[in-house]
Every structure is written in C-alpha cells, then in structure tokens.
Amino acid sequence: MKLPFTLFWFYLLNLLITPVFAGADLSTYTAPANMKNLHITELGSSDSASEFVIFIRNEVKPHFHKDHTELIYVLEGEGLFYLDETKQIIKPGDFIRINKGLTHSVKVTSKVPLKVLSIQTPKFIGKDRYFVDLNNE
C-alpha cells in the first residue's frame, strides 16, 4: 500500500518520537534557567541518524550542512525561519526538511525559547556545520 506523502512523514515522526528509551518524553526536557542562546541535548544516535532536542533563545546564524539532511519538528515557541531565499513563521507542530547544502537560520520571535526536535541523517558528530556571511555574498 502506498502512503500519501504527508501521512508518510506523520508516520515517520511518530516512530521517531515514540519513546524507545528512558527519558524520551520530550515534554520533560526544559531549557536551563541560565541558558545564553543555545542548549542542545542529544537524545540518541546510530550510524544512520542522530536526534537532538535544541533550545534557541535568540537565533541560529545562517549555516549549511554539506553531508547531512536535517529534519526539524517545532515543539515550543515561535520564530522566523529562513531556508535559502524563503522565510516563514514557524510554530509548534511545524515540520521542516532541510536538504544538505541549503543555507538555513532562525530568529526567535516568542518570549519563550524555541524548542525543536532535530534529526540529522546520517549520524551527526558536530563537524558538518558551515556558517555563511550573507552580507558578503
């Protein structure tokens, strides 16, 4: 049976969000009171993917990943999300797929930090992040 595209992603996200280890209830993850701009917690990792809960107080500067696709699901807060030449308001329940090589950034517009589930594929070890100065392009 062939699933419609949106149903496929809903099914995939449910598989990824379903608790399979202790502490996978994402509502229990909170931003530290003394958080400056970013707080990242790794949920798990395998050769094929890495999962993180990320809190953003102000912004994530423009950057891209040469070797990774990033999937983002917004859990809390709101922001203005930039993906190459497009921008959109993001809020809880929004899903974003960022293919490798696409420049992306976000500016938080809510009083509470933006909280997202970020899934990087393949496994992300922190080195595939290249910042872009959009003023000099």
Side-chain angles (χ1 to χ4, degrees):
M1 178 176 141
K2 192 172 184 180
L3 292 174
F5 184 74
T6 53
L7 186 57
F8 168 77
W9 284 110
F10 177 77
Y11 179 72
L12 177 63
L13 277 174
N14 277 333
L15 285 177
L16 293 171
I17 294 173
T18 302
V20 293
F21 55 89
D25 178 0
L26 300 180
S27 68
T28 64
Y29 291 85
T30 58
N34 62 347
M35 181 181 102
K36 301 265 189 239
N37 183 43
L38 289 176
H39 178 74
I40 302 170
T41 301
E42 184 174 347
L43 298 174
S45 189
S46 68
D47 288 340
S48 60
S50 299
E51 304 87 31
F52 305 91
V53 171
I54 302 175
F55 290 92
I56 307 148
R57 184 169 308 282
N58 301 313
E59 68 178 328
V60 173
K61 302 274 188 199
H63 67 283
F64 66 93
H65 310 284
K66 287 183 181 177
D67 301 316
H68 290 81
T69 293
E70 184 174 9
L71 309 171
I72 295 176
Y73 184 75
V74 181
L75 299 166
E76 296 175 7
E78 293 183 2
L80 190 54
F81 189 83
Y82 298 85
L83 183 61
D84 269 353
E85 302 297 319
T86 65
K87 66 180 177 179
Q88 69 183 57
I89 295 171
I90 58 172
K91 61 190 178 320
D94 286 349
F95 172 76
I96 304 157
R97 178 189 175 110
I98 307 161
N99 290 326
K100 61 183 175 181
L102 293 180
T103 299
H104 54 287
S105 63
V106 67
K107 292 186 182 189
V108 178
T109 58
S110 56
K111 292 184 181 184
V112 298
L114 190 63
K115 177 182 177 183
V116 301
L117 171 64
S118 172
I119 302 164
Q120 299 263 350
T121 180
K123 182 178 183 173
F124 186 76
I125 56 172
K127 295 182 179 180
D128 185 29
R129 187 180 300 116
Y130 300 89
F131 288 94
V132 176
D133 183 357
L134 297 178
N135 295 323
N136 290 330
E137 285 192 348

